[in-house]
Amino acid sequence: QVQLVESGGGSVQAGGSLRLSCAASERTFGVYTMAWFRQAPGKEREFVASITWTGSTTYYADFVKGRFTISRDKAKNTLDLQMNSLKPEDTAVYLCAARRGTVSAKFGQYNYWGQGTQVTVSS
């Protein structure tokens, strides 16, 4: 059973930056595909970015390309999301997710989830 714990959320003005982290409990974290999703009030959970278990390939939603960077440190069992040039529409709860298998943008295909961390961007 993989346990995921996010941190690093907070409030920032538009144009600012935040770095989210996700700590995984399991030593086999390295074999999991990892991803970040987000969910704003009244909206469906949406895909943000994912990274293969090797860390060699990353995927991004169009609305974050060029602004967000996903990375992982297998030695430390951590997953990060560097968010730059934040916009008010980026305001949401950001969730870390893991699955055994190939990358996917479908939240229903992820088996393990963190509790989420709030990101608020003011204009």
Side-chain angles (χ1 to χ4, degrees):
Q1 182 78 11
V2 176
Q3 292 184 326
L4 304 172
V5 179
E6 301 94 336
S7 61
S11 298
V12 65
Q13 289 191 329
S17 299
L18 283 173
R19 188 176 184 88
L20 306 182
S21 291
C22 173
S25 61
E26 189 174 299
R27 287 185 295 173
T28 56
F29 162 79
V31 304
Y32 290 88
T33 290
M34 302 295 297
W36 288 98
F37 287 78
R38 70 185 188 185
Q39 189 163 18
K43 295 187 176 181
E44 289 191 351
R45 190 167 298 185
E46 62 180 356
F47 171 78
V48 175
S50 65
I51 188 167
T52 56
W53 71 272
T54 61
S56 61
T57 308
T58 56
Y59 301 89
Y60 295 94
D62 287 344
F63 54 78
V64 301
K65 283 182 180 178
R67 300 190 298 125
F68 292 10
T69 303
I70 188 171
S71 61
R72 68 190 300 167
D73 187 328
K74 293 170 67 174
K76 296 181 179 179
N77 284 357
T78 58
L79 174 75
D80 290 339
L81 185 69
Q82 177 65 43
M83 305 186 296
N84 298 328
S85 302
L86 283 161
K87 305 175 182 180
E89 51 264 44
D90 294 320
T91 295
V93 173
Y94 284 71
L95 303 108
C96 170
R99 70 184 299 265
R100 286 186 178 270
T102 58
V103 293
S104 172
K106 299 179 180 180
F107 67 81
Q109 294 187 350
Y110 285 81
N111 309 104
Y112 305 102
W113 292 88
Q115 82 289 349
T117 186
Q118 177 70 46
V119 171
T120 303
V121 184
S122 58
S123 58

